[in-house]
Amino acid sequence: MFVGKNLLAAVCGFSMIAATPAMSDAQSTKILEEYFDVLKSMPIVLEVGDKDDAGRYTQWNNITLKSEDGKTQVAVPWIKVSKKLLGGFEMIFAEQIDGVFQSPDPEGLEPVKFVIESKGSSVDIGGKEGARKYDSSFDEMIFRTLDSNLIGVSVKMTDGSGTQVLETGDMGRSAGSFEIKNMVIDYSFALEGESMTSSSTIQSFAGNFDIPIYDDFDPENPTGFFDASRNMVFEYSVEFGSSKSAANSAVGPIELNAAFGAGAGTFGIKDEVATVEGTTQDLTYEVTATGMGFPPVQFSISDAVAKIAVPLDNVDESKPASYKIALSGLKLSEPLWNMFDPKALLPRDDIDLDIDLLASMRWLKKISDIDVKDTNQAPPVAVESAEIKALNLKIAGADLQTSGSVLVDNSQFPPVPDGTVNISLKGGYGLLGKLTELGLVPAQNAAMIQGMSAMFFTPGEGEDHLVSVITMTKDGHISANGMPLK
């Protein structure tokens, strides 16, 4: 992101302030200091103008959060923690908070100013020292940039609430849940005659989180603090959403409208396995690029699934890693089909894609020992076996199904696979013939493809069905159906 790690750190610091205040009364100053100690684990410099300690409240004024290089700053006019009449404590803060971050081109462009505005924000506080609980809510919160000819960003959230438990100490963590009824994100960018605008709406954005707090973060060695045994989980769900984007460039204007239904996802680390996964239903897209001579086209997807899992810091033994991408019910509109199939020779069936891979991998060194600045180092992981659970595609009357497994010998470079891959292709010749008739594949190339297919495939069951067994051996030989290829 152009904003960079400095803005992210500063905004994260403010977010913790807004969501997790401290006690008041006689112990308010002590607990505020206890809370702000959390920022020591981040590359943030904290400055407080003055502290007002009264009998029933504590107020800190003119608070500044800075990145270590000073290029990103957030200024909070005041934060007040007071004791409630019926017991308990509450925190409120200034309704407007100002800030600035460095622009994408620090040499030629001015820093970008921004403001954070809130209405109806408050936090109720419970728990005890070392394990504070914060229940927060707001009616409206807005982040927007100011006076920039380069970029414009506006994020508006309404009807938000959340719960957080902040545990301090050697194994500090922040855990809780949140819900935002409505979120609107507007973005614009303009540079050297080209521009882009985007507006997105998300309904019912909710989730849970459990994030470790590290005390020894070093920006010069960003992986040095990492501990794979500490879980870090972020889960989310959305009810539905939509977006509209437009770009102006030398090739002409382009517009993209999209919408999606229910979705959910998870990313983080659990039981020393890093996972990124998500599902989304009922995606629709409409693309208009009249300046490029294309008609408006649409396509939709019934279900989209993605899941990636990678073991971490397993230097002693290999563990499973997985990769899965699946698209179901991909439909193309008639104008889109007609762009390459005006004769309607191809079946307009739904397109299905399923890629499901499994590997056994091992790290050659701990992540905390990797020097991210060394661009010439060898890959820090080794794959010892791989399995193709699925590499399947259904499109235009053809059906490709693939499976197989191999062992990998890493004692030499490049590594040598040993195993088999099974391939089944139905409707391949029929699709090739129609592509040739449409002129998408030259007849000479089609004839060459058909001739070469005899080297790789044998007839399967039924009409227009080809099968193949690709065999790889540890001595480097490769064969198809017993015929040597290498």
Side-chain angles (χ1 to χ4, degrees), residues 445-469:
N445 292 355
M448 182 177 63
I449 293 172
Q450 284 186 307
M452 292 183 63
S453 66
M455 297 177 56
F456 296 94
F457 294 94
T458 60
E461 297 181 358
E463 185 180 355
D464 195 2
H465 182 201
L466 300 174
V467 296
S468 181
V469 179

Side-chain angles (χ1 to χ4, degrees), residues 427-458:
Y429 284 146
L431 177 58
L432 180 62
K434 292 173 182 177
L435 294 177
T436 303
E437 186 176 348
L438 290 170
L440 298 177
V441 177
Q444 184 178 2
N445 292 355
M448 182 177 63
I449 293 172
Q450 284 186 307
M452 292 183 63
S453 66
M455 297 177 56
F456 296 94
F457 294 94
T458 60

Side-chain angles (χ1 to χ4, degrees), residues 277-357:
E277 61 179 293
T279 61
T280 308
Q281 299 177 341
D282 302 328
L283 297 100
T284 61
Y285 299 88
E286 181 177 358
V287 182
T288 302
T290 54
M292 301 174 63
F294 298 134
V297 296
Q298 302 85 32
F299 61 95
S300 62
I301 302 172
S302 297
D303 292 282
V305 176
K307 182 175 182 180
I308 302 172
V310 179
L312 300 176
D313 280 359
N314 52 309
V315 296
D316 296 325
E317 61 177 346
S318 296
K319 292 184 179 181
S322 61
Y323 175 88
K324 180 178 178 63
I325 297 290
L327 303 177
S328 302
L330 172 57
K331 300 179 184 291
L332 307 183
S333 65
E334 282 298 316
L336 185 53
W337 277 110
N338 291 337
M339 289 176 63
F340 53 87
D341 182 22
K343 299 180 181 180
L345 298 179
L346 301 175
R348 266 47 169 172
D349 299 337
D350 291 357
I351 300 171
D352 294 329
L353 171 67
D354 186 9
I355 301 174
D356 195 350
L357 309 177

Side-chain angles (χ1 to χ4, degrees), residues 141-354:
M141 186 168 292
I142 298 174
F143 170 95
R144 58 186 177 89
T145 56
L146 304 171
D147 305 327
S148 174
N149 295 324
L150 172 65
I151 64 170
V153 180
S154 174
V155 181
K156 180 179 179 181
M157 299 176 289
T158 55
D159 295 332
S161 62
T163 297
Q164 181 185 33
V165 174
L166 180 62
E167 298 179 0
T168 58
D170 294 337
M171 299 295 288
R173 57 190 284 269
S174 172
S177 62
F178 66 91
E179 181 177 7
I180 301 170
K181 293 296 184 182
N182 179 268
M183 181 183 300
V184 179
I185 305 172
D186 294 323
Y187 171 81
S188 63
F189 175 85
L191 183 64
E192 297 181 352
E194 298 189 355
S195 64
M196 187 189 78
T197 61
S198 176
S199 180
S200 303
T201 299
I202 300 174
Q203 297 289 333
S204 295
F205 178 45
N208 303 287
F209 60 90
D210 190 342
I211 303 171
I213 298 174
Y214 292 95
D215 294 329
D216 51 357
F217 177 81
D218 181 3
E220 297 299 323
N221 183 21
T223 62
F225 71 97
F226 183 75
D227 183 354
S229 66
R230 301 188 65 181
N231 289 347
M232 179 182 68
V233 180
F234 182 89
E235 301 173 327
Y236 73 90
S237 65
V238 297
E239 188 175 343
F240 62 89
S242 63
S243 67
K244 293 183 178 181
S245 302
N248 290 309
S249 65
V251 299
I254 301 174
E255 295 182 4
L256 171 63
N257 296 332
F260 56 89
T266 301
F267 63 87
I269 300 170
K270 187 175 183 180
D271 298 329
E272 300 189 7
V273 177
T275 302
V276 178
E277 61 179 293
T279 61
T280 308
Q281 299 177 341
D282 302 328
L283 297 100
T284 61
Y285 299 88
E286 181 177 358
V287 182
T288 302
T290 54
M292 301 174 63
F294 298 134
V297 296
Q298 302 85 32
F299 61 95
S300 62
I301 302 172
S302 297
D303 292 282
V305 176
K307 182 175 182 180
I308 302 172
V310 179
L312 300 176
D313 280 359
N314 52 309
V315 296
D316 296 325
E317 61 177 346
S318 296
K319 292 184 179 181
S322 61
Y323 175 88
K324 180 178 178 63
I325 297 290
L327 303 177
S328 302
L330 172 57
K331 300 179 184 291
L332 307 183
S333 65
E334 282 298 316
L336 185 53
W337 277 110
N338 291 337
M339 289 176 63
F340 53 87
D341 182 22
K343 299 180 181 180
L345 298 179
L346 301 175
R348 266 47 169 172
D349 299 337
D350 291 357
I351 300 171
D352 294 329
L353 171 67
D354 186 9

